[in-house]
Amino acid sequence: MTFATGPRLWHPPHLSRHGSTAIVGRQGIFSRAGEVRGHELLYRAPGHDSLPIDMWPPRLQDRATEHVIAAAFWRDPDITAPHPAFINFTRTYLLDHDVAHHCDPARVVIEVVESAFADVALAARLSELRREGFRVAIDDFAATESQLSLLPLADYVKVDFRDLVRKGPALVDAARRGGATLIAERVEDAEILSACEDLGFDMFQGWWFERVMVHERGEDPVLV
């Protein structure tokens, strides 16, 4: 799928009953000192706090990414300035679209979703995007063979605390191999934060710091 002009706002018909279209979630990414270092932008639909987007087929995930870019940069005021925006990208979106035409490489961190199979084509495309000025994050790092192969191209590695509980500290050791900045996700209380700090994470994301703020055109952000 390619775009004739630019990214478009979009919702599946069954999620558009409320009539609103320009809606996007934003959650901060924080330093050890509690300072904002970036924002992850998340697809949201009217009347839905969250959706199982990672379970959608790639074509619909691509449309969700298109919507996030359109809501955040293409038509509406920039809602992450002056910090970088972390946005989820599928393999198909990265390979099939002119990403640099849709958003500012200096401002966007490409989060490679866990379902993106890493092969020569994807590695080459990520190398090209980094040369254009984008930074790359590996999302939901679980030390799969595919993710491990992308570590040399990663500026950030994001680890969900739930995966850390399942796999143990060895997961952090694996994430650290490429020298990327480590971001702990799902940091929801002081105990989790302390554990992640002890393991050497550099930045943190989760409800302990900030819940997702939903931004809609013409409306004040809403906490969800």
Side-chain angles (χ1 to χ4, degrees), residues 31-104:
S31 70
R32 283 176 172 257
E35 300 168 332
V36 177
R37 290 289 182 259
H39 296 281
E40 180 172 0
L41 299 182
L42 305 157
Y43 178 83
R44 289 292 184 268
H48 295 263
D49 292 344
S50 61
L51 293 162
I53 299 170
D54 56 343
M55 303 298 291
W56 290 3
R59 181 180 64 84
L60 295 186
Q61 290 190 45
D62 288 353
R63 295 298 298 271
T65 294
E66 175 190 5
H67 174 90
V68 167
I69 293 171
F73 303 115
W74 195 262
R75 300 181 183 180
D76 293 337
D78 189 330
I79 62 172
T80 69
H83 306 292
F86 288 67
I87 299 176
N88 290 329
F89 286 84
T90 64
R91 171 189 169 85
T92 54
Y93 198 108
L94 292 170
L95 294 179
D96 296 345
H97 296 89
D98 183 1
V99 180
H101 180 66
H102 301 159
C103 46
D104 181 0

Side-chain angles (χ1 to χ4, degrees), residues 102-123:
H102 301 159
C103 46
D104 181 0
R107 295 291 316 289
V108 171
V109 177
I110 293 170
E111 286 202 23
V112 182
V113 298
E114 63 272 24
S115 60
F117 174 69
D119 60 3
V120 173
L122 182 60

Side-chain angles (χ1 to χ4, degrees), residues 24-29 36 38-44 78-81 83-85 205 210-215 221-224:
V24 64
R26 190 191 79 175
Q27 187 176 43
I29 299 171
V36 177
H39 296 281
E40 180 172 0
L41 299 182
L42 305 157
Y43 178 83
R44 289 292 184 268
D78 189 330
I79 62 172
T80 69
H83 306 292
Q205 180 180 350
E210 181 180 74
R211 296 179 73 92
V212 176
M213 302 290 293
V214 173
H215 292 252
V222 178
L223 195 67
V224 298

